Amino acid sequence: MTALRFHGPVLPGGEVHDLFVVEGRVTYEHQAGAETIASGWIVPGLVDAHCHLGLGNDGEVSKEETEQQAIADRDGGALLVRDCGTPADTRWIQERDDLPRLIRAGRHVARTRRYMRNFADEVEPADLAAAIAQQARRGDGWVKLVGDWIDREVGDLTPSFSAEDFAEAVKIAHDAGAKVTAHCFGRDVLPGLIEAGIDCIEHGTGLTPDLVDAMAERGTALVPTVVQTEIFPGLAAAAEPKFPTYASTMTDLYARRRETLMSAYDAGVPLFAGSDGAGNQRHGVLHEEVVALHRIGLPADVALGAASWRAREWLGFTPDLAEGSEADFIVYDADPLADLTVLARPAAVVLRGTLVG
Ligand SMILES: [Zn+2]
């Protein structure tokens, strides 16, 4: 098998190397006769920490459409995807060497009629424990809760379950060896989940200074999905006639989103990048989230690390392209740390040691 050769600064360190790929692994030992593939800035495979494969706007989509979503993510440089809930059985993706590595969270667990239709396993409190146990078995070490959603009787965002029920759910998942994450827009749902030892918060627009300190202390991660929160003004406008309180809650969360995210960063909360891809229009766009994290105030290396080396380490992968590591990386024509928009144009994508794009 011919070795492949790449040349250029290898991030995050930035030292210039000849990087060779032999049998799916990285080596810096010179390989005579290697085929030179590309020169440029070499970045460890990107990680989409919040994505949904097999999900469209109305629920589960076909296997063909799911495959197109995964290919779009891969071609955008996302070589490891943490799926944050899907009704589809996507285990077949894990048998395909040409598709991104995938960590699944099973199906979202939500309160009855308190989430997007056809997405979640919708349950009442009495059935929450069994649903969590089931999804812990179905996933790859993660369970996804819908922490809060509009309660049409109250006319505002409210937690899906009581703090006691959430604490029990987190314990059941942990006892089954699974970590837990939750969709959380508002504040009220957060204290109980953080106190219960939840592992990650998705969106987290309701975070306050006391809560980010508690997260930092416990090492609770945050995937802020900055691009996705751009839908808040639209949600507020659509809800205004019937649910004015909810509309004003969403408007307020949106207005404070920069301050909220920067307080989490300043407190030391581990942050990761998620595209919230669902439906074909939102796949292959992780680079937009990295740019958005930077525009909102994170330094470029923090924003890119949140979508690459730090996220890889968080999910149990080799963070950097060390000798012997999996050959999952992207080559760019220019330095992404000088201009993150370069991430939209990979010059070469290498997955499991094979040039795929
Ligand atoms: Zn999502």
Side-chain angles (χ1 to χ4, degrees):
M1 187 177 172
T2 315
L4 308 180
R5 174 184 170 271
F6 299 82
H7 177 82
V10 180
L11 269 54
E15 257 181 69
V16 176
H17 286 289
D18 276 329
L19 182 156
F20 297 92
V21 174
V22 180
E23 289 174 354
R25 301 265 158 193
V26 167
T27 182
Y28 296 95
E29 277 171 35
H30 185 77
Q31 304 289 315
E35 182 189 353
T36 298
I37 303 294
S39 289
W41 279 256
I42 302 169
V43 177
L46 301 188
V47 179
D48 194 337
H50 183 138
C51 192
H52 303 276
L53 288 165
L55 190 58
N57 296 338
D58 302 313
E60 185 171 346
V61 297
S62 69
K63 190 174 170 182
E64 291 68 32
E65 200 171 326
T66 304
E67 182 185 36
Q68 291 311 308
Q69 295 174 345
I71 289 171
D73 288 326
R74 177 200 74 189
D75 291 349
L79 304 183
L80 171 60
V81 168
R82 185 180 67 133
D83 192 283
C84 252
T86 179
D89 180 348
T90 53
R91 282 173 291 189
W92 60 270
I93 293 174
Q94 295 169 324
E95 271 137 45
R96 289 269 301 267
D97 281 350
D98 63 326
L99 297 180
R101 297 177 200 268
L102 174 61
I103 297 171
R104 298 155 37 254
R107 188 167 194 173
H108 302 76
V109 176
R111 185 72 174 263
T112 316
R113 287 186 298 278
R114 296 275 308 278
Y115 197 48
M116 316 257 283
R117 280 179 58 184
N118 304 324
F119 277 36
D121 182 11
E122 300 184 1
V123 297
E124 285 302 288
D127 300 317
L128 179 61
I132 293 295
Q134 185 189 25
Q135 297 310 323
R137 284 193 300 273
R138 281 190 69 197
D140 303 320
W142 281 91
V143 171
K144 170 75 178 291
L145 285 165
V146 176
D148 61 1
W149 196 252
I150 185 171
D151 180 332
R152 289 177 173 78
E153 277 159 39
V154 176
D156 201 355
L157 274 182
T158 66
S160 312
F161 299 97
S162 69
E164 293 71 32
D165 288 339
F166 275 134
E168 175 71 7
V170 170
K171 185 175 184 314
I172 287 166
H174 284 173
D175 287 350
K179 293 182 174 173
V180 185
T181 193
H183 160 111
C184 302
F185 280 167
R187 181 181 190 278
D188 294 349
V189 65
L190 291 165
L193 285 174
I194 295 166
E195 179 69 20
I198 196 164
D199 302 279
C200 183
I201 298 289
E202 311 296 320
H203 318 300
T205 39
L207 285 166
T208 50
D210 56 320
L211 293 171
V212 295
D213 286 344
M215 285 178 75
E217 202 169 295
R218 291 171 169 274
T220 317
L222 173 64
V223 181
T225 68
V226 173
V227 173
Q228 179 68 349
T229 59
E230 290 296 341
I231 68 171
F232 281 22
L235 291 176
E240 177 68 39
K242 273 173 89 178
F243 305 108
T245 309
Y246 170 79
S248 90
T249 297
M250 297 307 284
T251 301
D252 177 55
L253 292 170
Y254 183 73
R256 288 192 292 110
R257 67 195 187 121
R258 178 180 185 280
E259 185 190 331
T260 303
L261 178 55
M262 292 312 289
S263 77
Y265 170 64
D266 290 339
V269 174
L271 298 172
F272 302 105
S275 68
D276 210 356
N280 282 341
Q281 74 283 10
R282 292 283 314 139
H283 286 271
V285 293
L286 181 61
H287 59 95
E288 292 177 8
E289 180 67 14
V290 181
V291 169
L293 285 167
H294 179 50
R295 289 206 178 127
I296 216 162
L298 301 190
D301 65 318
V302 174
L304 183 52
S308 176
W309 48 91
R310 281 190 297 106
R312 297 180 64 79
E313 183 169 39
W314 177 53
L315 295 173
F317 284 75
T318 313
D320 54 18
L321 294 165
E323 178 74 28
S325 62
E326 314 92 351
D328 287 5
F329 58 85
I330 307 109
V331 184
Y332 299 97
D333 288 334
D335 182 0
L337 292 177
D339 175 8
L340 288 167
T341 66
V342 166
L343 298 173
R345 300 177 298 278
V349 179
V350 177
L351 173 61
R352 299 182 176 92
T354 301
L355 187 66
V356 290

